[in-house]
């Protein structure tokens, strides 16, 4: 009397249903043919391998595995299926653990992709990572690449002791033949494009603030999704000191997150914040001791990078999308006001005083 596979037409019906779902032809049962049967050892080995899978193969495949597991003479198919899943996962992991170093195409950044994380590191440590015109363009290029690559998260950090000392004020000393008015127009357009890249960035964007942050490096943080900081970091936006006005949508994001009065202390009256104060105001998500900062932060980031990529993207769209139009409008207004400020006598005197003080140090 036939047993197992040959005695269970209902199981064949289940398998044929699964094959139809997967777009495969159905299997005809010929009871006169001797089935190829995996050995007991091979079957047990496949069961052990199944337990090593780190990635869920999906409900359809799991149903197929279950159906095959229940049929003794289908052991060979069970073994073959598990082997294919394990082999595919090993191949995938071997690809994701390779570091892709994109630094060669940048002058002012180090850009790498590893374990589903693209890291954009500001790399002008001798200038405290001050943002030159070249760096502005390169950060936008790096953000565009990160938005379209296969990574799950994008991280921004700095090399050396500083995260970023803000706008490189030497940008103001390279006055071109067309004069200050055209220079201010171009600078405002550059800043508008720069901030727009953050507003429109589709993936989770995480700041890893490894040291002091100044100016635009502070104001833009309101557009990040998470900001982690070492306890040695400080946050300073000295706009009025330089005869300028806020940018990076901070005239909107700062009052929204910390209240108007607290935002005024920072944006109008140049208050410098410690990392702890910035965290209390909502600008920073969490502060870590400097001695364990990198270890603790990257442990979290690697865990976040294992989350479903598209789920994170769509969730961010829901959270951020409702105010995207407002942010673009604020960005345009801030850049127009800055263009006016850069052409003012007040701003020129403030910047000249800054350079004179530096020269006398």
């Amino acid at each position: 009397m036939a047993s197992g596979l040959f005695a269970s037409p209902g199981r064949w019906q289940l398998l044929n249903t699964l094959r139809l779902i997967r777009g495969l032809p159905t299997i005809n049962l010929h009871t006169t043919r001797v089935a190829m049967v995996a050995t007991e050892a091979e079957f047990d080995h496949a069961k052990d391998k199944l337990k090593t899978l780190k990635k869920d193969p999906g409900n359809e495949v799991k149903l197929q595995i279950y159906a095959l597991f229940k049929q003794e003479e289908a052991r060979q198919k069970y073994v073959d299926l598990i082997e294919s899943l394990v082999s595919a996962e090993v191949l995938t992991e071997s690809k994701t653990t390779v570091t892709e170093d994109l630094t060669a195409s940048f002058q002012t950044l180090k850009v790498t992709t590893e374990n589903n994380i693209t890291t954009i590191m500001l790399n002008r440590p001798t200038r405290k990572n001050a943002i030159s015109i070249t760096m502005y363009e390169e950060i936008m290029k790096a953000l565009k690449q990160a938005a379209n690559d296969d990574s799950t998260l994008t991280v921004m950090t700095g090399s050396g002791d500083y995260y970023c000392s803000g706008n490189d004020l030497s940008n103001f000393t390279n006055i071109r033949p067309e004069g200050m008015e055209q220079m201010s127009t171009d600078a405002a357009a550059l800043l508008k494009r720069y901030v727009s890249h953050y507003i429109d960035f589709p993936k989770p964007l995480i700041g890893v603030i490894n040291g002091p942050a100044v100016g635009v490096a502070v104001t833009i943080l309101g557009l990040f999704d998470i900001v982690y900081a070492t306890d040695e970091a400080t946050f300073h936006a000295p706009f009025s000191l330089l005869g300028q006005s806020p940018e990076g949508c901070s005239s909107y994001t700062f009052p929204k997150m910390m209240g108007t009065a607290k935002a005024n202390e920072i944006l109008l009256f140049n208050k410098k914040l410690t990392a702890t104060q910035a965290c209390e105001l909502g600008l920073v998500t969490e502060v870590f001791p400097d001695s364990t900062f990198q270890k603790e932060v990257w442990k979290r980031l690697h865990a976040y990078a294992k989350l479903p990529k598209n789920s994170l993207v769509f969730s961010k769209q829901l959270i951020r999308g409702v105010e995207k139009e407002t942010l673009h409008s604020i960005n345009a207004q801030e850049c127009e006001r800055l263009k006016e400020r850069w052409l003012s006598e007040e701003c020129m005197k403030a910047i000249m005083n800054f350079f004179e003080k530096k020269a006398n140090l």
Side-chain angles (χ1 to χ4, degrees):
M1 181 175 180
S3 62
L5 178 64
F6 297 102
S8 305
R11 290 174 179 172
W12 279 103
Q13 291 172 1
L14 174 60
L15 279 177
N16 280 331
T17 300
L18 288 170
R19 294 180 69 83
L20 285 170
I21 290 172
R22 297 171 66 81
L24 299 173
T26 58
I27 300 172
N28 293 319
L29 176 61
H30 299 284
T31 56
T32 59
R33 181 172 174 229
V34 177
M36 181 181 290
V37 180
T39 66
E40 189 76 27
E42 289 174 327
F43 187 63
D44 290 340
H45 187 53
K47 286 193 289 183
D48 291 337
K49 278 192 171 184
L50 177 61
K51 298 175 184 178
T52 69
L53 287 175
K54 299 174 184 175
K55 184 178 179 181
D56 190 326
N59 290 334
E60 289 184 19
V61 176
K62 284 192 290 186
L63 279 172
Q64 188 178 2
I65 291 170
Y66 179 77
L68 294 174
F69 179 78
K70 291 294 185 179
Q71 304 169 61
E72 291 183 6
E73 279 78 5
R75 285 177 179 174
Q76 186 63 51
K77 293 180 181 179
Y78 180 90
V79 170
D80 292 343
L81 179 56
I82 301 304
E83 287 286 351
S84 67
L85 289 172
V86 172
S87 298
E89 186 168 89
V90 169
L91 180 62
T92 301
E93 286 190 347
S94 67
K95 291 179 180 178
T96 58
T97 55
V98 173
T99 301
E100 184 179 5
D101 192 340
L102 306 173
T103 302
S105 60
F106 297 94
Q107 299 177 38
T108 64
L109 307 175
K110 288 182 180 179
V111 182
T112 57
T113 298
E114 183 179 12
N115 294 327
N116 296 325
I117 301 174
T118 294
T119 302
I120 301 171
M121 178 179 284
L122 310 183
N123 191 35
R124 297 182 75 206
T126 59
R127 300 298 300 271
K128 300 178 181 178
N129 297 324
I131 307 179
S132 62
I133 292 175
T134 298
M135 185 184 275
Y136 274 115
E137 294 288 356
E138 291 194 340
I139 292 174
M140 287 188 280
K141 176 183 175 181
L143 286 171
K144 185 176 181 179
Q145 289 181 359
N148 295 302
D149 67 20
D150 292 330
S151 64
T152 302
L153 308 176
T154 298
V155 172
M156 289 195 70
T157 190
S159 62
D161 297 330
Y162 260 68
Y163 170 65
C164 178
S165 58
N167 192 46
D168 190 336
L169 292 183
S170 64
N171 294 339
F172 288 92
T173 64
N174 300 319
I175 300 177
R176 300 191 298 272
E178 55 266 33
M180 272 300 299
E181 185 167 352
Q182 185 60 50
M183 182 176 171
S184 296
T185 298
D186 293 344
L190 174 66
L191 181 61
K192 183 180 177 182
R193 284 195 297 117
Y194 178 72
V195 175
S196 292
H197 276 69
Y198 290 87
I199 297 172
D200 292 330
F201 194 73
K203 300 177 182 178
L205 180 61
I206 300 174
V208 176
I209 313 303
N210 57 295
V214 181
V216 68
V218 175
T219 55
I220 207 75
L221 293 179
L223 300 176
F224 281 59
D225 300 296
I226 290 178
V227 178
Y228 292 137
T230 168
D231 59 4
E232 293 188 0
T234 56
F235 300 83
H236 193 202
F239 298 115
S240 58
L241 191 65
L242 295 171
Q244 300 183 44
S245 54
E247 85 278 271
C249 294
S250 59
S251 63
Y252 172 78
T253 58
F254 277 31
K256 182 181 176 183
M257 74 173 65
M258 62 186 69
T260 302
K262 293 295 184 181
N264 285 342
E265 283 191 304
I266 300 165
L267 299 176
L268 302 186
F269 302 113
N270 312 301
K271 181 177 181 178
K272 181 187 288 188
L273 303 175
T274 65
T276 299
Q277 289 172 328
C279 188
E280 291 171 349
L281 292 173
L283 183 61
V284 168
T285 308
E286 191 169 349
V287 178
F288 300 83
D290 189 67
S291 59
T292 60
F293 174 59
Q294 296 292 344
K295 180 180 178 180
E296 292 189 53
V297 166
W298 282 98
K299 181 179 179 180
R300 293 194 187 189
L301 296 179
H302 286 134
Y304 297 160
K306 294 178 182 178
L307 295 170
K309 173 185 171 182
N310 289 335
S311 176
L312 294 176
V313 169
F314 293 141
S315 295
K316 176 171 178 174
Q317 286 178 4
L318 290 172
I319 295 168
R320 293 281 188 171
V322 293
E323 60 179 6
K324 185 177 288 189
E325 186 176 340
T326 299
L327 291 169
H328 279 298
S329 176
I330 295 295
N331 180 31
Q333 293 175 40
E334 288 179 344
C335 290
E336 280 300 310
R337 182 51 50 87
L338 272 170
K339 177 182 172 182
E340 297 170 4
R341 297 308 307 150
W342 289 331
L343 292 172
S344 69
E345 185 72 18
E346 188 177 57
C347 181
M348 288 296 101
K349 285 183 178 179
I351 292 173
M352 288 174 62
N353 288 338
F354 174 82
F355 282 117
E356 286 176 5
K357 287 179 181 178
K358 286 189 68 175
N360 294 329
L361 290 178

